[in-house]
Amino acid sequence: GVRDVMFLYEENRCSMTYMYEYPEYLKIKLPKKTARRYPAYELYLYGEGNYAEENKNLLLTGIPVLFLPGNAGSYKQVRSLGSIALRKAEDVDFKYHFNFFSVNFNEELVALYGGSLQRQTKFVHECIKVILKLYKDREFAPSSVTIVGHSMGGLVARALLTLKNFKPELINLLITQATPHVAPVMPLDKYLTDFYTAVNNHWILKAQDLRNLTTLSVAGGFRDYQVRSGLAFLPRLSQHDSALSVVSSAVPRAWASTDHLSIVWCKELILATIRAFFDLIDENTRQITEDPKKRMSVLNHHFVRHPAKMFEENPEAFTHLTGAFNWITVKDSKWTYSVYNDSDGKYFSFPLASHRISYSHVYCENSVLDTSSWIYGCMNTNSSMCLEAVDLSWRAELLPTTKVVMLKLLDYPSLSHIVIQVPPAVGNKYTLGCEFFKEDSRTVQLPVTHLFSFGFSSSKILLNSTGLLYNVQLQHFNQIYQAFKIYIDSHCQSLKERKPSVYRLHIPWSYEDSITVAKVPSLAEISAKLHIAQPHSDSSLPELNIYSSPDCQYEVILKTSLLQVLGQIVRFHAGAFPVYIVSNILLTYGGQLSTLRSTGQCSDFSLELVRAAKPYKVEPLISIVVFLQGFNWFREIWESLSLPEVDAAVLSSQDAWFPLVSLILFLFGTGIAYWSGVFFSTSLRLFSSLWLTLIRPTELQKDKLITPSRLCGMISLALVSWTTCGAFAVLIIYLQYLFKVLKGVGSYKPVHGFVTSVFHFQDSGHSKETSQNSSTHTVKAQSLVDSIPEATQSPSNSKTLAEAVNSLKMHITVLNLFTWIVLLNLPSLIYWLKNLRYSVKLDPDPCRSTAIILICILEILMNSSTSEVKSSKLLKIAAKVPLPLSVAMLAFGRMHLYRVPHFVTFSLLLHVLCCFV
């Protein structure tokens, strides 16, 4: 599944954008107050060559566009947009041009640390004010700014509207590239999830106020494994019709999936964006139009359905067909025409009266991909020619190798003829075709194979193509966990040269179509999987549109792809893996405490994991709660207890949760926990051996749990946490603990080779009877002791060795748990280190309070042994608590990873209390 997501996607079909002149970034001077408040941030103006020289005095006359980079993004990523916009402005002799500004966010890791998102948002507000001030007193001064935001930059742009003193009219157009709008990819801290909640709630509650802001979200498709496209779709609002979400694979003239970075420089996408910008200009104000309807129609033209015509706001309803062209009447229901070096222009006229009786639709295609009109509808005809016609070219749609139009005859009752215009073609070769058909004769239904067929069975359908178009409806294909491979095998009767076939997978409820172009004859393979599940209110069916070659046979074979099903699970739920891994380790930890209580011996991590980490202990309870949350009475009780919503219920409402996924994730978590445990133990063994070769071991003295020096250490680390960064203090205590365990292994080694013995002191199996278990431990301990020279074989020594083994095993499990806490806190540490030159203290710090508690716990734990814990009255509770904590972790931690350390901390706190009570 991981391999499917990370490596098995389509090749990069994007072209690189190049600068024709050397790019320059002019730093804009900010007001002193702003510069002092945000020392790490800067604002730049992009330029090239002469244009950059002219703008050095900042006498700007263009249309302002502000680019916001994303997570660890550079302000220099604006160059693709800026360069192509400059070339386009040169084409129109600078009648209109754009000034591209870019913000330097110091490449902050805002996708992993949410503490600076609010600060970035406020800085962008200041930048907008500075930009608009640059145009003051100009003839066509702008009153608003267009924003292009990549990744988290798009979310920062949306967050502007949540600021109290922000005027919504300062932004008229917002384009986001691969921005996770719905939820964070990795919810590692509370500031990140709170920021998302505030932004999304504001956009839902204040939807009426956002009608003058037009928003376009472009997702990268399956190549982007960092931000899955489902997260990039803006929240759907019935009253908010000024937002549009598309996947790059569906964008006309691009038709390519992009990865998370290439979406910024993909030439095809950048061209679509810049063309849209120029079409959005109002000739009177020389700025982006203030008309929301025009903005939406331009974006639809360039990003949803391109009619292969230059954009016109109000195209003429009627046109006169002129020119000395020959008129030819075609009465056949199917017609194809090839043109090569034709010096005479022609009009082909298709009378509709006879066809209306037998057919419901007419379909035409044209392989000339220019932007001229080519198909018309006549309402006033005489015997020889059409006097007045409706331009039906606006109903056409551009595809990679052809432009097509399909008309329902009932929708055009006033038309008497359809006319195809064929201009003179000198040196050009192209084909046209038209056919009349009944819709049901060209629509076939193909039920998809079941998820559990595992690709062994298939659905097949044979199309004996006499026409130019077939629609294969895929029944029961509506969930994100479904994934199929579709094979289209084409065979033709003759070997003449044919135009390529186009296969389009059309998803009617979202703009996420994908297009495949294949030679005929050939065997084409298409992957069919969804970014967004079908909404409950939608009953439409996904379609495979086959734009076929006549006289060819097409066999469509559909199979479930198990690899891609696993890939979908990883794509949608990889962010929850740490929760499942830690949950497994926590169950193991509880099992070890339980064994210690019943037998007086601590079991090995790997064997205890196999015994204790069982999905049936945690999964059923969560499933029952999710089921009960469907009832109002249970929801009311739940809310009255002030309990947070179960994450599985939220995912279920987003149609991103499905049966068995939690079980698969739990088993995957068990596997990772097992092998990470093996790796951890092996690493400790190697490092301890290295430690012993360098330093001679000393006898470890039994000491009090709390000494003045340790208390000083605790206070010092707590101060480090409070004054600098909590994650830094956590890392220090972790390394201290690790060093202590390594040192402990060496110190308990009275003879050479004992380290290996300690690590190989493993239960070969657990008996169901406690007495058998106890005797097994005793025998093994005794055999280990027997292997040591006689000088060390006193009863007290034997007891010390057994105790050393038990303590060591417990320490390894605690370290294993703590490793994951360190990893979850690592992003805020990296952020702090990166910004150290601006501030010594991380503010806000997501793990400051947790860090202080963990410092106190681990300072005591690293000096404890199992002998203190064994006799504790609290051991029974401490052994039982990890199970409910694991359940709670899976219930409330999947979409809130920052809660995971809290559950672990509570469990370790009970362990510490066992040392005293």
Side-chain angles (χ1 to χ4, degrees):
V2 172
R3 181 171 163 264
D4 176 69
V5 172
M6 304 286 279
F7 305 107
L8 302 182
Y9 41 67
E10 65 176 70
E11 61 179 13
N12 193 352
R13 297 208 297 264
C14 281
S15 309
M16 175 61 84
T17 45
Y18 293 98
M19 286 76 248
Y20 287 85
E21 296 172 281
Y22 195 77
E24 291 184 42
Y25 305 89
L26 178 66
K27 190 175 174 181
I28 306 291
K29 193 177 179 183
L30 297 169
K32 284 181 182 176
K33 191 181 175 183
T34 307
R36 201 162 48 244
R37 192 181 294 170
Y38 310 101
Y41 302 159
E42 295 165 326
L43 177 66
Y44 288 89
L45 172 66
Y46 177 80
E48 288 177 24
N50 292 335
Y51 170 76
E53 283 295 319
E54 288 165 14
N55 286 335
K56 279 189 175 172
N57 55 7
L58 292 178
L59 297 172
L60 306 177
T61 55
I63 301 162
V65 179
L66 179 60
F67 175 79
L68 304 180
N71 177 57
S74 167
Y75 64 96
K76 292 181 180 180
Q77 287 172 314
V78 72
R79 62 183 175 269
S80 296
L81 282 164
S83 186
I84 287 182
L86 188 59
R87 302 282 83 82
K88 181 87 172 163
E90 285 174 355
D91 290 347
V92 294
D93 294 325
F94 282 94
K95 183 183 177 183
Y96 311 114
H97 72 280
F98 288 84
N99 301 128
F100 276 84
F101 297 86
S102 184
V103 173
N104 178 14
F105 283 136
N106 193 32
E107 299 185 12
E108 290 179 338
L109 297 169
V110 282
L112 304 175
Y113 168 74
S116 63
L117 282 167
Q118 197 65 32
R119 189 159 56 243
Q120 286 192 2
T121 307
K122 288 175 180 174
F123 179 72
V124 172
H125 185 198
E126 296 301 321
C127 287
I128 291 170
K129 288 191 256 184
V130 169
I131 289 166
L132 292 176
K133 207 173 273 186
L134 293 173
Y135 294 87
K136 209 174 177 183
D137 304 326
R138 300 286 185 276
E139 187 182 354
F140 298 102
S143 58
S144 59
V145 172
T146 295
I147 294 183
V148 178
H150 172 239
S151 186
M152 293 299 285
L155 190 75
V156 168
R158 283 180 64 215
L160 283 166
L161 296 146
T162 64
L163 298 177
K164 284 180 183 176
N165 55 347
F166 185 79
K167 296 172 185 172
E169 58 270 19
L170 290 178
I171 316 175
N172 53 14
L173 176 65
L174 169 60
I175 295 177
T176 68
Q177 302 168 326
T179 297
H181 291 293
V182 178
V185 176
M186 292 288 281
L188 288 167
D189 66 57
K190 196 173 188 297
Y191 306 115
L192 196 56
T193 53
D194 287 354
F195 189 81
Y196 264 90
T197 306
V199 172
N200 286 330
N201 285 350
H202 183 88
W203 275 60
I204 291 165
L205 297 170
K206 305 277 182 173
Q208 292 292 339
D209 302 342
L210 304 175
R211 281 180 301 177
N212 291 325
L213 170 63
T214 305
T215 313
L216 168 70
S217 174
V218 183
F222 290 111
R223 272 189 67 85
D224 188 349
Y225 54 79
Q226 291 183 45
V227 175
R228 64 177 175 86
S229 296
L231 291 177
F233 276 66
L234 289 155
R236 288 180 184 169
L237 307 168
S238 54
Q239 69 272 41
H240 191 201
D241 55 357
S242 57
L244 182 65
S245 302
V246 296
V247 178
S248 61
S249 60
V251 174
R253 300 168 84 169
W255 297 301
S257 176
T258 62
D259 59 60
H260 197 62
L261 284 179
S262 71
I263 200 167
V264 172
W265 54 255
C266 179
K267 188 178 177 181
E268 289 75 8
L269 269 181
I270 300 296
L271 281 169
T273 307
I274 298 302
R275 286 178 189 130
F277 279 167
F278 276 87
D279 283 342
L280 284 163
I281 297 169
D282 185 327
E283 287 191 9
N284 298 320
T285 62
R286 298 213 175 178
Q287 295 295 327
I288 298 289
T289 179
E290 294 295 322
D291 180 4
K293 284 186 179 174
K294 182 184 175 182
R295 291 200 294 255
M296 278 309 285
S297 60
V298 169
L299 293 179
N300 274 298
H301 179 95
H302 289 284
F303 288 91
V304 178
R305 186 190 176 96
H306 198 296
K309 300 250 316 153
M310 303 293 275
F311 177 79
E312 288 179 38
E313 190 176 356
N314 297 306
E316 290 182 17
F318 299 103
T319 184
H320 293 279
L321 300 181
T322 55
F325 286 15
N326 296 329
W327 282 80
I328 301 166
T329 303
V330 181
K331 293 184 179 177
D332 297 337
S333 64
K334 185 181 168 190
W335 167 84
T336 54
Y337 184 71
S338 293
V339 184
Y340 183 62
N341 269 346
D342 199 342
S343 57
D344 299 321
K346 296 180 180 68
Y347 285 121
F348 289 92
S349 175
F350 298 81
L352 297 180
S354 58
H355 292 310
R356 286 184 188 277
I357 302 160
S358 309
Y359 306 108
S360 63
H361 288 71
V362 60
Y363 167 84
C364 294
E365 61 183 24
N366 184 349
S367 66
V368 179
L369 302 181
D370 61 7
T371 57
S372 56
S373 295
W374 60 284
I375 182 167
Y376 303 91
C378 280
M379 291 191 288
N380 182 15
T381 59
N382 57 26
S383 56
S384 60
M385 63 176 66
C386 184
L387 301 176
E388 199 172 42
V390 178
D391 189 352
L392 296 174
S393 307
W394 291 103
R395 298 272 177 264
E397 183 173 11
L398 183 66
L399 293 173
T401 60
T402 184
K403 49 190 179 186
V404 302
V405 63
M406 187 162 72
L407 307 169
K408 190 177 181 180
L409 297 178
L410 283 173
D411 293 344
Y412 301 91
S414 58
L415 297 186
S416 58
H417 289 66
I418 280 179
V419 175
I420 301 286
Q421 180 183 2
V422 181
V426 180
N428 291 332
K429 185 178 181 181
Y430 59 92
T431 56
L432 298 102
C434 278
E435 64 170 338
F436 292 84
F437 62 88
K438 271 192 172 176
E439 188 179 23
D440 54 4
S441 69
R442 295 301 165 83
T443 304
V444 290
Q445 293 193 327
L446 182 68
V448 298
T449 49
H450 196 271
L451 178 70
F452 295 111
S453 64
F454 300 124
F456 295 116
S457 63
S458 62
S459 284
K460 294 182 185 179
I461 203 158
L462 194 65
L463 307 170
N464 286 311
S465 172
T466 53
L468 302 170
L469 172 72
Y470 278 91
N471 293 323
V472 180
Q473 293 184 333
L474 306 175
Q475 292 177 301
H476 319 300
F477 178 31
N478 50 22
Q479 297 297 330
I480 55 112
Y481 58 83
Q482 293 174 294
F484 308 99
K485 278 188 177 175
I486 301 174
Y487 301 95
I488 304 173
D489 195 4
S490 54
H491 299 284
C492 302
Q493 290 172 2
S494 62
L495 294 171
K496 67 176 183 179
E497 189 185 342
R498 299 169 187 275
K499 65 180 181 66
S501 286
V502 176
Y503 310 129
R504 173 166 66 178
L505 183 66
H506 173 60
I507 311 299
W509 56 82
S510 66
Y511 299 117
E512 54 174 280
D513 294 8
S514 58
I515 289 178
T516 305
V517 179
K519 289 177 182 176
V520 179
S522 69
L523 176 66
E525 183 186 307
I526 298 169
S527 288
K529 49 198 174 189
L530 299 172
H531 295 294
I532 285 190
Q534 186 175 26
H536 300 296
S537 56
D538 197 304
S539 59
S540 54
L541 294 173
E543 285 184 340
L544 178 65
N545 306 134
I546 299 176
Y547 299 91
S548 54
S549 291
D551 308 320
C552 289
Q553 194 180 62
Y554 292 82
E555 186 180 22
V556 181
I557 305 162
L558 182 143
K559 290 182 177 181
T560 296
S561 171
L562 180 62
L563 262 181
Q564 293 187 47
V565 169
L566 292 172
Q568 286 291 81
I569 293 171
V570 172
R571 182 173 283 109
F572 279 79
H573 301 288
F577 283 162
V579 184
Y580 285 92
I581 297 162
V582 177
S583 175
N584 272 280
I585 299 171
L586 200 59
L587 286 170
T588 309
Y589 170 68
Q592 283 182 315
L593 288 175
S594 187
T595 312
L596 185 69
R597 179 174 163 266
S598 58
T599 66
Q601 303 289 339
C602 183
S603 54
D604 182 74
F605 176 83
S606 301
L607 295 171
E608 193 59 54
L609 178 75
V610 173
R611 191 181 67 83
K614 297 283 188 255
Y616 59 76
K617 291 182 179 181
V618 291
E619 291 301 333
L621 191 61
I622 297 169
S623 300
I624 291 163
V625 171
V626 172
F627 172 73
L628 289 172
Q629 283 205 329
F631 300 100
N632 288 328
W633 61 268
F634 185 80
R635 266 207 309 275
E636 284 169 11
I637 295 168
W638 192 266
E639 285 165 12
S640 66
L641 294 169
S642 300
L643 289 168
E645 201 169 358
V646 176
D647 288 348
V650 178
L651 289 166
S652 189
S653 68
Q654 293 173 0
D655 295 311
W657 196 248
F658 47 92
L660 294 178
V661 68
S662 200
L663 177 65
I664 292 166
L665 292 173
F666 190 93
L667 296 175
F668 192 52
T670 309
I672 295 176
Y674 181 89
W675 288 108
S676 68
V678 169
F679 173 77
F680 196 70
S681 298
T682 310
S683 304
L684 274 178
R685 190 188 312 165
L686 287 169
F687 282 119
S688 63
S689 300
L690 186 68
W691 173 257
L692 286 166
T693 55
L694 296 173
I695 294 162
R696 190 178 173 184
T698 55
E699 194 68 36
L700 198 74
Q701 298 296 318
K702 186 78 184 108
D703 206 349
K704 290 180 182 177
L705 286 173
I706 300 174
T707 63
S709 62
R710 283 173 195 159
L711 202 60
C712 286
M714 263 190 235
I715 294 164
S716 303
L717 281 176
L719 279 170
V720 168
S721 172
W722 194 259
T723 55
T724 58
C725 169
F728 180 53
V730 166
L731 182 65
I732 292 170
I733 195 82
Y734 173 73
L735 294 172
Q736 197 180 331
Y737 197 168
L738 195 64
F739 180 73
K740 190 95 174 179
V741 169
L742 285 172
K743 198 176 171 184
V745 169
S747 302
Y748 276 125
K749 184 183 177 187
V751 290
H752 187 69
F754 178 66
V755 177
T756 313
S757 307
V758 165
F759 278 97
H760 282 93
F761 181 65
Q762 293 180 356
D763 323 52
S764 58
H766 281 273
S767 171
K768 287 180 183 177
E769 296 296 323
T770 310
S771 58
Q772 285 181 9
N773 225 345
S774 180
S775 62
T776 307
H777 276 293
T778 313
V779 169
K780 291 212 168 196
Q782 193 54 50
S783 66
L784 183 67
V785 173
D786 290 344
S787 67
I788 295 163
E790 288 176 27
T792 59
Q793 281 192 30
S794 66
S796 62
N797 222 350
S798 132
K799 195 176 177 183
T800 308
L801 290 172
E803 207 57 65
V805 170
N806 288 335
S807 297
L808 199 62
K809 287 179 178 178
M810 190 55 78
H811 284 312
I812 287 168
T813 305
V814 172
L815 260 178
N816 209 342
L817 263 179
F818 195 42
T819 303
W820 285 96
I821 294 181
V822 171
L823 289 173
L824 289 171
N825 287 328
L826 210 55
S828 61
L829 175 65
I830 296 165
Y831 179 91
W832 173 73
L833 288 169
K834 210 171 175 192
N835 288 273
L836 203 53
R837 59 185 168 153
Y838 301 108
S839 175
V840 175
K841 187 177 181 179
L842 180 64
D843 187 40
D845 189 345
C847 54
R848 183 170 291 143
S849 50
T850 316
I852 292 167
I853 298 165
L854 277 170
I855 288 161
C856 301
I857 289 171
L858 291 167
E859 191 68 60
I860 297 166
L861 270 187
M862 73 172 78
N863 298 296
S864 68
S865 69
T866 48
S867 57
E868 293 131 352
V869 178
K870 259 191 266 185
S871 56
S872 173
K873 295 173 186 176
L874 287 176
L875 185 58
K876 187 178 180 181
I877 299 167
K880 285 194 173 6
V881 158
L883 177 58
L885 285 178
S886 289
V887 175
M889 195 186 290
L890 292 184
F892 305 116
R894 282 188 187 114
M895 294 174 70
H896 306 83
L897 290 177
Y898 60 87
R899 290 175 180 166
V900 171
H902 304 330
F903 295 115
V904 176
T905 304
F906 185 76
S907 196
L908 294 177
L909 183 64
L910 285 174
H911 190 148
V912 166
L913 291 174
C914 287
C915 298
F916 297 101
V917 181

